[in-house]
Amino acid sequence: STAAAFERFTINFTATNLPYNSDLQNPDSAKFSSTRRVMNTLLDRLLKKSSIGPDFLRCETTGFRYG
Protein backbone atom coordinates (compact mmCIF):
# COMPACT_ATOMS: atom_id res chain seq x y z
CA SER A 1 0.00 0.00 0.00
CA THR A 2 1.11 3.56 -0.60
CA ALA A 3 0.88 6.40 1.85
CA ALA A 4 -1.37 9.30 0.95
CA ALA A 5 0.46 12.44 -0.10
CA PHE A 6 -0.41 15.55 1.88
CA GLU A 7 0.19 19.05 0.66
CA ARG A 8 -0.01 22.21 2.72
CA PHE A 9 -1.36 25.33 1.11
CA THR A 10 -1.94 28.88 2.25
CA ILE A 11 -5.15 30.87 2.02
CA ASN A 12 -5.09 34.59 2.77
CA PHE A 13 -8.37 36.43 3.18
CA THR A 14 -9.82 39.54 4.74
CA ALA A 15 -12.43 39.33 7.49
CA THR A 16 -14.19 42.69 7.28
CA ASN A 17 -16.27 42.16 10.41
CA LEU A 18 -13.40 41.22 12.74
CA PRO A 19 -12.21 44.30 14.64
CA TYR A 20 -8.43 44.18 14.95
CA ASN A 21 -6.57 44.98 18.16
CA SER A 22 -2.97 44.49 19.24
CA ASP A 23 -3.82 41.30 21.22
CA LEU A 24 -4.20 39.54 17.86
CA GLN A 25 -0.46 40.01 17.26
CA ASN A 26 0.42 37.91 20.31
CA PRO A 27 -0.08 34.14 19.84
CA ASP A 28 -0.01 33.74 23.63
CA SER A 29 -2.93 36.10 24.28
CA ALA A 30 -6.41 34.88 25.15
CA LYS A 31 -7.87 36.99 22.32
CA PHE A 32 -5.57 35.35 19.75
CA SER A 33 -6.35 31.85 21.05
CA SER A 34 -10.11 32.30 21.08
CA THR A 35 -10.15 34.00 17.67
CA ARG A 36 -7.94 31.28 16.19
CA ARG A 37 -10.23 28.59 17.60
CA VAL A 38 -13.33 30.22 16.07
CA MET A 39 -11.65 30.84 12.70
CA ASN A 40 -10.35 27.27 12.51
CA THR A 41 -13.82 25.88 13.26
CA LEU A 42 -15.54 28.08 10.67
CA LEU A 43 -12.94 27.45 7.98
CA ASP A 44 -12.90 23.71 8.67
CA ARG A 45 -16.67 23.58 8.16
CA LEU A 46 -16.49 25.66 5.00
CA LEU A 47 -13.65 23.72 3.39
CA LYS A 48 -15.08 20.31 4.31
CA LYS A 49 -18.21 21.26 2.33
CA SER A 50 -16.19 22.43 -0.67
CA SER A 51 -14.85 20.46 -3.63
CA ILE A 52 -11.68 19.67 -1.66
CA GLY A 53 -13.72 18.34 1.26
CA PRO A 54 -12.97 14.65 0.73
CA ASP A 55 -9.22 15.37 0.87
CA PHE A 56 -9.26 18.16 3.45
CA LEU A 57 -7.85 17.42 6.92
CA ARG A 58 -7.87 20.62 8.96
CA CYS A 59 -7.31 24.34 9.01
CA GLU A 60 -4.55 25.94 11.03
CA THR A 61 -4.61 29.71 11.62
CA THR A 62 -1.06 31.02 11.92
CA GLY A 63 -1.57 34.73 12.40
CA PHE A 64 -3.67 37.85 12.17
CA ARG A 65 -2.66 41.25 10.90
CA TYR A 66 -4.22 44.64 10.44
CA GLY A 67 -5.21 45.76 6.97
Side-chain angles (χ1 to χ4, degrees):
S1 74
T2 60
F6 296 103
E7 183 176 335
R8 289 179 156 240
F9 62 94
T10 301
I11 298 175
N12 293 308
F13 67 93
T14 301
T16 58
N17 61 345
L18 175 63
Y20 183 84
N21 71 43
S22 60
D23 288 338
L24 290 174
Q25 289 180 328
N26 180 1
D28 297 323
S29 75
K31 179 76 168 180
F32 183 98
S33 295
S34 64
T35 304
R36 177 180 57 203
R37 206 169 24 256
V38 169
M39 294 304 291
N40 288 352
T41 299
L42 294 173
L43 289 171
D44 279 350
R45 288 179 188 166
L46 177 68
L47 292 171
K48 284 179 183 175
K49 292 179 182 179
S50 75
S51 61
I52 67 168
D55 299 312
F56 177 75
L57 294 177
R58 70 179 172 276
C59 176
E60 185 176 319
T61 302
T62 58
F64 300 100
R65 65 179 183 193
Y66 179 77

